[in-house]
Amino acid sequence: MRKTRVAVLISGRGSNMMALTEAAKKSSYPAEITLVLSNRPDAAGLVHAETAGIRTTSIDHTSFRGDRESFERAMHEQLLRRDIELVCLAGFMRLLSSWFIARWEDRILNIHPALLPAFKGLDTHRRALAAGVKIHGATVHFVSAEMDSGPIIAQGAVAVREGDDAETLAERVLEVEHRLYPLALGLVAAGRVRVVCGRCVIDGGLADGDALIVPEPDDRQQTDDR
Ligand code: GRF
């Protein structure tokens, strides 16, 4: 089976990148992680990727002295050089310009730690708790010029528990992220996701668990037992 060539862009620990890498090990998975690119040479995720035998490169944005376009051109060249077809942002802490996004239209995925369109931006878990929401989660979406606003591919939910703080909530959301991102990338790489009028249509319809992860019976049990 021909696999879609994917680059994962990171800035830090890279746990989502590793979840994608694990999923891509399966012969039936429709994508392969061809390149891990970091804008921070000291990102811990680079070491994890190298250990997993994945080609890595870092392009230090600070060496471009605020010239975003030159930084993005350097990334773009690396992606072309490796024949990359899809780009996954995974904790990549640089905003991308409309120049870059236009070149990779509907081919850049991002994972955001909230149920979009709620809680765009940073510090999502603290803000979700402050708002008193009872359901929180994560979203994988295509990247558009407006931050955290592109078409939604898949979402995963967790129940907010009494006594949660931003750290405990982040921990449970991260577990969902590690299941959600491989699922969403798998759908896109298999050619099952079309963007129609700014919304994602999943070919073959949505089977349970296809593009939505909800708390499993075990999770609910834990909540009930508390
Ligand atoms: C994740 O919570 C992701 O949703 C957000 O940044 C964090 C990255 O974590 N965009 P990691 O580097 O994948 O561990």
Side-chain angles (χ1 to χ4, degrees):
M1 180 181 70
R2 196 191 86 79
K3 292 187 171 220
T4 302
R5 293 168 66 84
V6 175
V8 185
L9 272 50
I10 64 169
S11 301
R13 70 187 161 180
S15 69
N16 277 290
M17 176 275 294
M18 287 308 290
L20 293 175
T21 301
E22 271 306 308
K25 281 184 187 165
K26 283 201 198 114
S27 57
S28 59
Y29 196 73
E32 65 181 350
I33 310 305
T34 311
L35 178 70
V36 171
L37 188 157
S38 173
N39 66 306
R40 293 194 170 277
D42 60 350
L46 284 175
V47 181
H48 301 316
E50 276 156 24
T51 308
I54 298 167
R55 182 186 292 275
T56 64
T57 186
S58 56
I59 300 178
D60 185 351
H61 68 279
T62 60
S63 62
F64 292 85
R65 299 173 192 281
D67 179 355
R68 186 182 298 271
E69 190 171 323
S70 300
F71 165 66
E72 291 184 347
R73 279 187 191 280
M75 286 203 304
H76 184 62
E77 270 166 31
Q78 281 292 328
L79 300 175
L80 293 184
R81 187 174 303 166
R82 304 281 165 222
D83 295 322
I84 297 301
E85 297 166 281
L86 286 176
V87 175
C88 287
L89 309 183
F92 182 68
M93 300 305 284
R94 303 301 298 165
L95 286 178
L96 295 169
S97 72
S98 45
W99 176 85
F100 187 89
I101 292 168
R103 258 142 208 85
W104 291 89
E105 196 179 3
D106 294 343
R107 292 191 296 150
I108 312 174
L109 285 67
N110 180 46
I111 186 154
H112 180 73
L115 290 173
L116 291 173
F119 308 116
K120 297 174 182 178
L122 297 172
D123 210 9
T124 55
H125 307 305
R126 189 194 55 74
R127 289 191 288 133
L129 288 171
V133 297
K134 303 302 179 206
I135 300 280
H136 185 47
T139 303
V140 178
H141 63 97
F142 284 117
V143 171
S144 63
E146 203 184 324
M147 191 183 66
D148 298 332
S149 296
I152 291 170
I153 302 163
Q155 293 189 299
V158 302
V160 177
R161 294 178 186 162
E162 289 300 327
D164 260 335
D165 57 25
E167 283 71 37
T168 58
L169 190 52
E171 230 170 76
R172 291 205 309 291
V173 171
L174 193 64
E175 280 174 27
V176 166
E177 291 184 34
H178 294 165
R179 290 159 56 196
L180 186 70
Y181 214 168
L183 185 152
L185 174 61
L187 287 173
V188 175
R192 289 188 57 201
V193 181
R194 280 178 301 129
V195 178
V196 180
C197 300
R199 297 197 325 200
C200 286
V201 177
I202 315 282
D203 282 342
L206 273 186
D208 274 359
D210 230 7
L212 172 71
I213 293 175
V214 292
E216 290 180 340
D218 276 346
D219 303 334
R220 284 200 283 271
Q221 194 61 45
Q222 275 176 20
T223 315
D224 292 341
D225 288 350
R226 231 189 27 250

